[in-house]
């Protein structure tokens, strides 16, 4: 559980920044060079590379270098960590709201 938690924490940290979320969204359309991604932001390339490194170190993207071009590719499987966690949270809250609904319904029936 601790390893799962560390992975999840890293993914959420990476996704906490709007620049990195935009990169993830853009890479959802297909692989793109770092240069093309960086052109969308008013920051230096070294600053943008910090975002790329954060995404890569948390397993959300992979990069490959061919000559002078570094290409980023989305790791869709890594997003499954978030999807699994959200599904678990959804299940927990649905169970809680179902119990609350039963409680309210039972109380209403007892009052009648």
């Amino acid at each position: 559980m601790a390893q799962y938690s560390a992975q999840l924490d890293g993914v959420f940290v990476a996704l906490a920044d709007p620049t990195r979320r935009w990169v993830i969204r853009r890479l959802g359309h297909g692989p793109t060079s770092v240069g093309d991604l960086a052109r969308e932001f008013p920051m230096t390339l070294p600053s943008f590379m910090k975002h790329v490194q954060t995404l890569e170190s948390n397993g959300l993207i992979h990069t490959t270098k061919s000559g002078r071009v570094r290409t980023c590719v989305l790791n869709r499987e890594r997003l499954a960590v978030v999807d699994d966690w959200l599904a678990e949270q959804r299940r927990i809250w649905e169970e809680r709201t179902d119990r609350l609904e039963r409680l309210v319904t039972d109380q209403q029936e007892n009052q009648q």
Side-chain angles (χ1 to χ4, degrees), residues 96-106:
R96 289 178 180 176
T97 57
D98 288 348
R99 284 195 311 257
L100 179 60
E101 181 182 17
R102 283 192 303 273
L103 176 68
V104 169
T105 303
D106 290 348

Side-chain angles (χ1 to χ4, degrees), residues 2-111:
Q3 177 64 23
Y4 177 78
S5 179
Q7 291 174 2
L8 185 63
D9 290 350
V11 170
F12 277 130
V13 166
L15 294 175
D17 184 87
T19 300
R20 295 191 288 264
R21 287 193 306 271
W22 182 92
V23 169
I24 293 296
R25 197 168 24 255
R26 172 58 188 85
L27 293 177
H29 298 288
T32 307
S33 73
V34 169
D36 287 344
L37 292 169
R39 271 189 216 108
E40 299 294 323
F41 298 96
M43 65 179 75
T44 64
L45 186 58
S47 294
F48 185 78
M49 283 302 297
K50 290 179 182 179
H51 290 288
V52 171
Q53 291 167 350
T54 298
L55 291 169
E56 191 167 26
S57 67
N58 286 291
L60 289 166
I61 67 171
H62 298 289
T63 63
T64 56
K65 190 169 183 179
S66 178
R68 295 179 56 172
V69 178
R70 181 169 295 280
T71 302
C72 300
V73 178
L74 180 62
N75 179 7
R76 294 176 191 277
E77 292 80 28
R78 187 61 162 179
L79 293 173
V81 172
V82 175
D83 193 40
D84 293 346
W85 183 81
L86 288 172
E88 181 182 343
Q89 297 308 306
R90 193 174 299 114
R91 180 189 56 75
I92 290 168
W93 282 101
E94 284 173 355
E95 288 174 2
R96 289 178 180 176
T97 57
D98 288 348
R99 284 195 311 257
L100 179 60
E101 181 182 17
R102 283 192 303 273
L103 176 68
V104 169
T105 303
D106 290 348
Q107 285 180 350
Q108 287 175 346
E109 288 173 356
N110 289 339
Q111 289 177 356

